[in-house]
């Protein structure tokens, strides 16, 4: 009898267990994903909680002395300065306002580059940059430089450390300097050049001064100005200084802006680290062969890293890193299409390509939050996403988002996978948190894409969160490696 029972159980396991596995496997769909609604609603409450903790200040990360790579920590905006909003909805509206200003600024930069404007056309009125006129008030809105992610670098000798905004859409690194005629509040003491033995003003006939888009000549010193799309800007003298990365190393004679008149919602950062593709950007000046970053969730108190000259993760989805000859700052990527739920959208390939006049194309940008697509591309994505989510209750619009859902009564939902397709048949599938985001603490979630009336499309940092983005400058490649923060 015991032998019969054993044989019977064995027979059952052979016949039924494989079938169970088969059903489980066949029910899984690579074109859809489960999204934990409860987890993200909980985060919206925690980020504004009086008891929530911001990060503990970390020392700049170091690498072994025999390594040429450099690594420093990256923090989200909410970890540096506690959000002061009555609820998550008002915090979201504030973020979207800053984001719209950011996109306007990038669009303006490109537009000026593609028109007949020259550097001389952009030069400020001479009196505007004179020391006696630095008290002139500046009208400011939500500045492009407000930033969403920060790192901590050292300036001067001996080095003083400062929190700096990361920006792949800029070429001029700058920080607030004494004497400060008009400066916003920052978390660190303002940099005093007189306390550094390596600070040196750039002369008016220096090549660094000539490379500036907007400059003037002061008293035997080059003066710079960086303007942003909302009317805010930074003005000061251009100088060279030592920039240090903790025990990872330092670089001397890096050209930076020493801003004596700065206005904008920069939160608490001392200035901005320019990671763009121009000759004056930090990667260009330190002759970095590559750099990479990974952005943690913007509502997280954790950190990740910004790395220079480090090896790209082996599992990276590789795409061509393209340049626009009319605007060297921006990092364009070879995107060929977008799919929703495994179905390629009907979008002309030309939408994601730079034409002969320098219009079009799509860039990867650290400072833009929400991915912007040309209207035809966005409409195709939205309509397809709505088709796959007819079972989810609609919640109308929210600010720039026109596709939102009321998920307040749900713990988990299934949503279609959204994927980017790059040249060479490479595919990057996004996690649901990269395209369905909470806009309040009551369960309202929105599709985190938006249309743009301009020709330039932008992959924003919401879509980059949780993915290490690697810029191989030597080989003109960009890599995306999920879960490498």
């Amino acid at each position: 009898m015991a032998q019969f029972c054993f044989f019977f159980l064995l027979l059952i396991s052979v016949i039924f267990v494989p079938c169970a596995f088969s059903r489980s496997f066949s029910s899984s769909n690579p074109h859809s994903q489960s999204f934990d609604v409860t987890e993200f609603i909980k985060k919206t409450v925690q980020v504004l909680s009086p008891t929530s903790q911001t990060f503990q200040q970390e020392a700049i990360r170091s690498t072994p002395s025999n390594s040429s790579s450099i690594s420093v920590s990256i923090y989200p905006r909410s970890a540096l300065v506690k959000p002061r909003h009555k609820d998550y909805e008002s915090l979201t509206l504030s973020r979207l306002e800053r984001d719209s200003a950011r996109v306007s600024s990038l669009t303006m930069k490109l537009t000026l580059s593609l028109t007949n404007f020259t550097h001389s056309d952009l030069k400020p009125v001479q009196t505007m940059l004179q020391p006696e006129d630095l008290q002139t008030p500046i009208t400011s809105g939500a500045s492009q430089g407000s930033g969403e992610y920060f790192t901590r670098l050292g300036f001067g000798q001996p080095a003083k450390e400062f929190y700096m905004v990361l920006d792949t859409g800029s070429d001029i690194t700058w920080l607030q300097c004494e004497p400060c005629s008009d400066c916003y509040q920052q978390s660190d003491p303002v940099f005093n050049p007189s306390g550094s033995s390596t600070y040196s003003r750039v002369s008016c006939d220096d090549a660094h001064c000539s490379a500036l888009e907007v400059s003037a000549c002061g008293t035997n010193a080059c003066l710079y100005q960086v303007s942003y799309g909302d009317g805010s800007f930074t003005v000061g003298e251009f100088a060279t200084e030592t920039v240090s990365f903790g025990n990872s190393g330092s670089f001397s004679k890096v050209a930076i802006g020493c801003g004596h008149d700065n206005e904008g919602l920069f939160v608490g950062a001392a200035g901005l680290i320019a990671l763009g593709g121009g000759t004056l950007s930090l990667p260009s000046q330190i002759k970095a062969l590559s750099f990479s970053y990974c952005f943690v969730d913007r509502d997280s108190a954790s950190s990740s890293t910004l790395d220079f000259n480090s090896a790209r993760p082996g599992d990276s989805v590789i795409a061509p890193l393209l340049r626009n000859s009319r605007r060297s700052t921006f990092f364009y990527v070879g995107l060929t299409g977008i799919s929703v739920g495994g179905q390629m959208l009907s979008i002309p390939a030309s939408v994601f390509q730079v034409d002969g006049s320098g219009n079009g194309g799509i860039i990867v940008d650290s400072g833009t939050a929400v991915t912007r697509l040309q209207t035809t591309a966005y409409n195709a994505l939205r309509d397809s996403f709505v088709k796959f989510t007819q079972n989810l209750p609609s919640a109308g619009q929210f600010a720039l988002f026109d596709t939102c859902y009321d998920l307040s009564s749900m713990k988990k939902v299934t949503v279609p996978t959204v994927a980017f397709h790059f040249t060479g048949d490479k595919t990057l599938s996004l996690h649901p948190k990269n395209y369905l985001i909470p806009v309040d603490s009551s369960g309202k979630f929105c599709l985190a894409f938006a249309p743009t009336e301009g020709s330039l499309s932008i992959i924003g940092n919401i879509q980059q969160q949780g993915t290490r983005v690697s810029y191989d400058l030597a080989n003109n490649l960009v890599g995306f490696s999920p879960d490498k923060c």
Side-chain angles (χ1 to χ4, degrees):
M1 182 66 179
Q3 290 179 337
F4 174 77
C5 290
F6 174 77
F7 175 77
F8 179 75
L9 291 173
L10 182 63
L11 182 64
I12 290 294
S13 67
V14 170
I15 294 175
F16 291 99
V17 172
C19 293
F21 280 130
S22 177
R23 284 196 300 271
S24 174
F25 178 79
S26 62
S27 63
S28 63
N29 185 352
H31 303 313
S32 64
Q33 301 181 68
S34 177
F35 180 59
D36 192 332
V37 175
T38 306
E39 175 190 354
F40 285 91
I41 292 180
K42 183 178 179 181
K43 286 183 178 180
T44 66
V45 175
Q46 289 177 336
V47 73
L48 295 176
S49 171
T51 59
S52 67
Q53 296 181 347
T54 54
F55 66 87
Q56 297 295 317
Q57 182 172 314
E58 301 179 29
I60 297 178
R61 303 183 187 216
S62 61
T63 52
S65 58
N66 61 350
S67 172
S68 61
S69 63
I70 295 169
S71 181
V72 292
S73 296
I74 299 177
Y75 310 96
R77 180 189 184 101
S78 59
L80 180 57
V81 176
K82 187 69 181 173
R84 296 183 179 180
H85 296 270
K86 62 180 181 179
D87 52 40
Y88 195 82
E89 180 177 334
S90 63
L91 172 60
T92 302
L93 288 171
S94 175
R95 286 171 169 173
L96 294 179
E97 181 185 2
R98 292 196 307 270
D99 200 44
S100 294
R102 166 73 177 188
V103 172
S104 296
S105 175
L106 296 180
T107 302
M108 179 182 293
K109 284 183 179 181
L110 182 61
T111 300
L112 290 175
S113 298
L114 301 183
T115 60
N116 293 325
F117 276 86
T118 64
H119 287 189
S120 58
D121 295 320
L122 295 171
K123 286 183 184 297
V125 177
Q126 181 71 12
T127 56
M128 185 178 176
L129 284 171
Q130 294 304 306
E132 60 270 21
D133 292 329
L134 290 178
Q135 295 290 343
T136 304
I138 302 173
T139 302
S140 174
S143 169
Q144 172 207 335
S146 60
E148 293 295 341
Y149 292 92
F150 304 81
T151 191
R152 193 162 176 81
L153 295 184
F155 289 85
Q157 191 62 252
K160 303 291 185 181
E161 294 179 2
F162 300 91
Y163 289 110
M164 306 287 287
V165 174
L166 271 74
D167 191 356
T168 57
S170 294
D171 289 328
I172 308 301
T173 295
W174 61 269
L175 75 165
Q176 299 196 115
C177 288
E178 296 284 4
C180 208
S181 63
D182 188 2
C183 290
Y184 58 85
Q185 186 177 1
Q186 64 180 56
S187 56
D188 300 301
V190 175
F191 178 67
N192 190 342
S194 65
S196 171
S197 63
T198 53
Y199 182 87
S200 177
R201 294 180 177 86
V202 168
S203 64
C204 297
D205 57 357
D206 189 281
H208 287 127
C209 189
S210 302
L212 289 167
E213 284 191 345
V214 185
S215 65
C217 193
T219 307
N220 196 32
C222 178
L223 303 177
Y224 81 97
Q225 175 177 308
V226 179
S227 301
Y228 299 103
D230 64 341
S232 60
F233 55 82
T234 173
V235 177
E237 62 186 14
F238 212 43
T240 59
E241 184 55 287
T242 300
V243 178
S244 57
F245 301 80
N247 295 329
S248 294
S250 63
F251 295 86
S252 61
K253 298 183 179 179
V254 176
I256 63 170
C258 192
H260 300 297
D261 191 350
N262 322 281
E263 187 123 352
L265 303 181
F266 292 90
V267 193
L272 181 145
I273 292 295
L275 299 174
T279 58
L280 291 176
S281 73
L282 184 62
S284 295
Q285 290 198 65
I286 67 174
K287 295 179 171 53
L289 298 177
S290 67
F291 72 92
S292 72
Y293 55 73
C294 193
F295 294 145
V296 297
D297 189 308
R298 66 184 56 212
D299 292 330
S300 170
S302 60
S303 64
S304 183
T305 61
L306 166 68
D307 300 338
F308 293 90
N309 295 327
S310 61
R312 185 176 61 241
D315 62 350
S316 296
V317 176
I318 305 299
L321 182 61
L322 309 174
R323 300 299 178 93
N324 186 338
S325 60
R326 306 291 293 275
R327 188 75 202 185
S328 61
T329 305
F330 301 151
F331 293 117
Y332 290 78
V333 63
L335 186 73
T336 57
I338 302 173
S339 65
V340 176
Q343 298 181 8
M344 291 296 296
L345 302 178
S346 180
I347 303 174
S350 58
V351 168
F352 302 120
Q353 297 173 352
V354 180
D355 64 21
S357 301
N359 290 296
I362 184 166
I363 65 173
V364 183
D365 183 51
S366 66
T368 301
V370 179
T371 288
R372 300 309 208 279
L373 301 172
Q374 286 189 31
T375 302
T376 54
Y378 171 75
N379 288 345
L381 185 150
R382 178 202 58 205
D383 294 347
S384 180
F385 193 85
V386 169
K387 181 184 71 174
F388 281 105
T389 54
Q390 294 180 14
N391 62 313
L392 300 181
S394 174
Q397 301 181 349
F398 182 90
L400 60 83
F401 299 133
D402 64 9
T403 303
C404 301
Y405 301 90
D406 179 4
L407 306 182
S408 58
S409 62
M410 304 177 181
K411 293 184 177 180
K412 289 186 178 182
V413 297
T414 299
V415 294
T417 297
V418 176
F420 292 137
H421 298 263
F422 301 106
T423 303
D425 200 25
K426 305 295 184 180
T427 302
L428 175 67
S429 295
L430 303 178
H431 188 280
K433 68 181 179 182
N434 296 126
Y435 53 88
L436 194 62
I437 64 169
V439 295
D440 62 22
S441 297
S442 302
K444 188 171 187 176
F445 287 74
C446 297
L447 180 64
F449 290 84
T452 177
E453 295 180 358
S455 66
L456 181 68
S457 296
I458 307 169
I459 297 178
N461 59 47
I462 290 177
Q463 283 65 38
Q464 298 174 56
Q465 283 177 26
T467 296
R468 181 157 292 277
V469 183
S470 304
Y471 299 83
D472 185 340
L473 306 176
N475 298 300
N476 292 318
L477 298 171
V478 59
F480 302 90
S481 185
D483 305 317
K484 287 297 187 298
C485 279

